[in-house]
Amino acid sequence: MLDIDDMEISYGPVRAVRGVSMRIAQGEIVALLGANGAGKSSLLRGVMGLVPASGQLRFEGRDLRGLPTPQRVMAGLAMAPEGRQVFTDQTVYENLLLGGYLIRRDRERVARQIEGYFEMFPRLRERREQVAGTLSGGEQQMLAIARALMSNPRLLILDEPSLGLAPLVTVDIFRGLKRLRAEGMTILLIEQMANQALAIADRAYVLEGGSVMLEGPAAELRRDPRIREAYLGGE
Ligand code: ATP
């Protein structure tokens, strides 16, 4: 579904992503692991067209190079960025409406879609008229995911959804991701919580210094001594 070949991203002299090749098949959850500064967020930004990237990039066979971000969203990609970045002065409901505006304006269908995400994250329904800036971190993350889904993506990209969240809230978020996968969504997940990411992922890539250091089925990586030592605290 997504084919990245030999992607390179530099910020002036800093080579953040170095020749990364990666594949995501329809219906998979793929985890992208790596230490701080390994290049994970940069890779995602390159895929979304938020930073210039060289190399090949195809989504469902279509060449994405040169397409601006809104066109990539219309092609079926969506990202919930690191740090959530919801519209803090808008209500939960307004944030969701804004997430769908590129795609369609049929109010009834949009309302039904929002109702579906309220079922997935019931806390959002209770807070639908609350301005997003006053939501807890976990609620903002749920909102960021639901907002990304409003554009009807076929590939959902999540940048550290568990960042700064209490373990119980993280469980809610991951439950939502499992449900999405069961409904057929393809997901690319960046996570520092390697254990949890590998528990729901089918496959994973590990970035180090901007390059892919390891890749394979999630179950295998969970047993790999290098992963256990570096990311799972030797558990
Ligand atoms: P983290 O887990 O801390 O978010 P990451 O793996 O997502 O890290 P990136 O944010 O992609 O890593 O950063 C990769 C490298 O690129 C780092 O050395 C970072 O300092 C550098 N970098 C990222 N964004 C910029 C920028 N806008 N300008 C200059 N350097 C940048």
Side-chain angles (χ1 to χ4, degrees):
M1 181 181 227
L2 185 75
D3 292 288
I4 304 171
D5 278 297
D6 213 18
M7 184 175 273
E8 295 269 342
I9 296 173
S10 296
Y11 306 101
V14 179
R15 288 180 66 203
V17 174
R18 306 173 183 221
V20 169
S21 296
M22 200 168 159
R23 250 146 273 291
I24 302 177
Q26 159 97 46
E28 275 190 314
I29 297 186
V30 172
L32 180 58
L33 310 176
N36 291 119
K40 306 178 298 294
S41 300
S42 298
L43 182 70
L44 300 193
R45 286 190 215 120
V47 170
M48 292 306 296
L50 295 165
V51 293
S54 66
Q56 313 281 323
L57 180 62
R58 301 186 83 81
F59 179 64
E60 297 178 330
R62 177 175 176 194
D63 191 350
L64 293 184
R65 285 174 305 175
L67 284 187
T69 305
Q71 257 83 337
R72 296 186 196 203
V73 173
M74 300 226 256
L77 298 171
M79 173 162 90
E82 186 175 13
R84 311 185 262 272
Q85 300 178 24
V86 292
F87 302 108
T88 51
D89 296 336
Q90 312 280 337
T91 66
V92 166
Y93 205 81
E94 287 163 346
N95 264 274
L96 293 172
L97 288 178
L98 285 166
Y101 91 103
L102 263 180
I103 298 302
R104 79 174 105 73
R105 295 182 173 79
D106 175 345
R107 281 185 162 263
E108 226 169 84
R109 283 186 61 186
V110 168
R112 270 205 305 278
Q113 191 176 358
I114 290 178
E115 196 46 44
Y117 301 139
F118 283 165
E119 260 162 50
M120 186 181 323
F121 297 123
R123 281 159 175 256
L124 291 183
R125 180 188 282 118
E126 295 159 21
R127 291 164 177 79
R128 55 178 282 159
E129 299 306 333
Q130 190 172 327
V131 290
T134 62
L135 295 173
S136 74
E139 290 156 2
Q140 286 190 19
Q141 185 60 60
M142 293 171 197
L143 179 58
I145 294 172
R147 189 186 57 186
L149 289 168
M150 286 301 296
S151 66
N152 271 342
R154 291 184 296 288
L155 173 63
L156 177 66
I157 300 178
L158 301 172
D159 196 349
E160 298 207 27
S162 74
L163 191 72
L165 302 186
L168 272 179
V169 183
T170 306
V171 169
D172 282 347
I173 305 267
F174 276 70
R175 191 179 296 133
L177 299 187
K178 276 192 203 157
R179 181 169 160 175
L180 280 172
R181 193 255 292 274
E183 290 167 4
M185 183 65 70
T186 309
I187 299 173
L188 172 58
L189 173 67
I190 287 198
E191 261 298 335
Q192 293 276 336
M193 310 284 282
N195 220 351
Q196 297 199 28
L198 291 175
I200 66 163
D202 300 293
R203 290 186 307 115
Y205 290 79
V206 182
L207 281 190
E208 201 176 275
S211 306
V212 176
M213 182 261 278
L214 261 182
E215 62 177 278
E220 255 170 49
L221 290 192
R222 269 177 116 178
R223 292 193 298 268
D224 190 298
R226 287 165 291 183
I227 297 290
R228 294 166 74 97
E229 209 167 288
Y231 303 107
L232 304 178
E235 294 159 41

